[in-house]
Amino acid sequence: MYKRVLTIQDISCVGQCSLTVALPIVSACGVETAVLPSAVLSTHTGGFKGFTFRDLTDDMPLICEHWKKENIKFDAFYTGYLGSARQIEFVRNILNSTGVEGALKVVDPAMADNGKLYVGFDAAFVDAMKKLCAEADILLPNITEASLLTGMDYREKYDEAYVKELCEKLCAQGAKSVVLTGVGYREGHTGVVVYRNGEIRYYEHKKIAVGCHGTGDVYASVFVGSLVRGKSDFEAAKIAADFTLKCIENTVGDKDHWYGVKFETVLPELAKMF
């Protein structure tokens, strides 16, 4: 069955992240991809200076009302970077009013990393994000985001018990299942934890020391595309991890390409899977 996904996040016109990543990747999985931009930036905010920013919050309810009039429905939703608590409330309404019956809701609470909130976010934003995450069928946080959402202390070094408690608390707050990214238990390796119905499954892969912008968006986009095409959550998590790793390997060594990953030349491999 040909399905339609709505992804809601910002457009950074240059920088290989957010919608400029989500649209081509989910499409490459063979899924119709509709977009709702939360903001338009000339570039992403990681390393560029003097970027432009236009908030599109006021457009969101108007777009939603037009969709309702046209009876436009979505089989799945995938939310990424959202700019304000007010915007999150509009997104919750969209998810609850424009989906087909049983529409899948995947929430990437893109708001923090490395123990800190992104610039411009505060405790009020975290509280608003908790409400959206509570409505998710699948939640896609990293460890920093999971700790903020649950109120647990952030740890750079952790064990399986800590990770399990994070997942349990996220589900206790409402999320049906959790895919926790960036989980590494040993040197030189990282991976992803899939938690559903009290059961944990872990997929480990090698870790590349060089960090790249936009890899979280690449991961989430492949995960959503794979899931909608019928893969299980664990299969989708594995496919997304392998693809993201290939994109990083495809980019490392190019000193001029510091602002994202070269995912485009790896897309044919992803498309062949479907």
Side-chain angles (χ1 to χ4, degrees):
M1 180 181 176
Y2 189 64
K3 294 188 176 182
R4 176 191 288 151
V5 170
L6 172 65
T7 180
I8 308 173
Q9 48 191 307
D10 71 282
I11 297 176
S12 291
C13 299
V14 173
Q16 293 172 308
C17 65
S18 57
L19 280 182
T20 60
V21 165
L23 178 57
I25 288 179
V26 179
S27 297
C29 294
V31 179
E32 180 183 349
T33 312
V35 301
L36 179 55
S38 57
V40 178
L41 294 82
S42 53
T43 65
H44 65 59
T45 60
F48 292 105
K49 297 179 180 179
F51 54 84
T52 66
F53 176 90
R54 183 169 295 277
D55 187 342
L56 299 180
T57 302
D58 290 337
D59 293 279
M60 298 174 83
L62 302 177
I63 292 171
C64 181
E65 286 307 310
H66 181 229
W67 286 342
K68 289 178 183 178
K69 289 177 182 177
E70 294 293 326
N71 197 32
I72 294 171
K73 298 286 186 178
F74 304 99
D75 299 290
F77 298 97
Y78 155 33
T79 70
Y81 184 95
L82 302 173
S84 66
R86 178 168 172 255
Q87 202 167 80
I88 290 172
E89 287 303 308
F90 285 146
V91 169
R92 290 178 64 203
N93 177 61
I94 291 167
L95 266 59
N96 290 316
S97 63
T98 63
V100 301
E101 185 176 353
L104 180 71
K105 300 175 183 177
V106 180
V107 175
D108 177 3
M111 61 179 180
D113 203 1
N114 298 315
K116 298 180 180 178
L117 281 168
Y118 294 152
V119 174
F121 291 159
D122 56 16
F125 182 86
V126 174
D127 287 341
M129 183 59 76
K130 286 179 182 179
K131 296 178 182 178
L132 178 61
C133 292
E135 299 173 4
D137 292 305
I138 302 179
L139 192 58
L140 284 176
N142 57 37
I143 288 180
T144 301
E145 291 157 349
S147 66
L148 287 166
L149 290 167
T150 59
M152 290 178 61
D153 291 336
Y154 169 74
R155 298 182 189 175
E156 290 186 2
K157 294 183 179 180
Y158 46 80
D159 55 15
E160 292 181 22
Y162 173 77
V163 168
K164 185 177 181 182
E165 187 176 359
L166 282 175
C167 294
E168 288 173 342
K169 288 193 173 183
L170 289 169
C171 287
Q173 291 173 352
K176 291 185 176 67
S177 63
V178 177
V179 176
L180 188 63
T181 60
V183 179
Y185 297 117
R186 58 186 182 130
E187 190 73 24
H189 293 77
T190 188
V192 55
V193 164
V194 178
Y195 180 86
R196 178 185 289 277
N197 297 327
E199 179 186 357
I200 277 188
R201 299 183 71 184
Y202 179 58
Y203 179 66
E204 183 185 69
H205 57 83
K206 70 177 180 179
K207 181 178 182 179
I208 297 176
V210 178
C212 296
H213 293 288
T215 51
D217 297 333
V218 170
Y219 182 92
S221 300
V222 177
F223 177 82
V224 170
S226 301
L227 202 66
V228 173
R229 284 303 305 271
K231 302 294 184 182
S232 70
D233 49 11
F234 187 74
E235 288 174 327
K238 182 178 178 180
I239 291 168
D242 291 344
F243 181 84
T244 304
L245 181 60
K246 286 182 180 178
C247 292
I248 297 171
E249 292 174 334
N250 196 39
T251 309
V252 170
D254 186 344
K255 295 180 181 179
D256 293 327
H257 204 96
W258 54 268
Y259 51 84
V261 289
K262 298 177 181 178
F263 71 91
E264 296 89 349
T265 53
V266 192
L267 279 179
E269 296 182 38
L270 180 65
K272 286 177 182 177
M273 296 185 62
F274 302 101

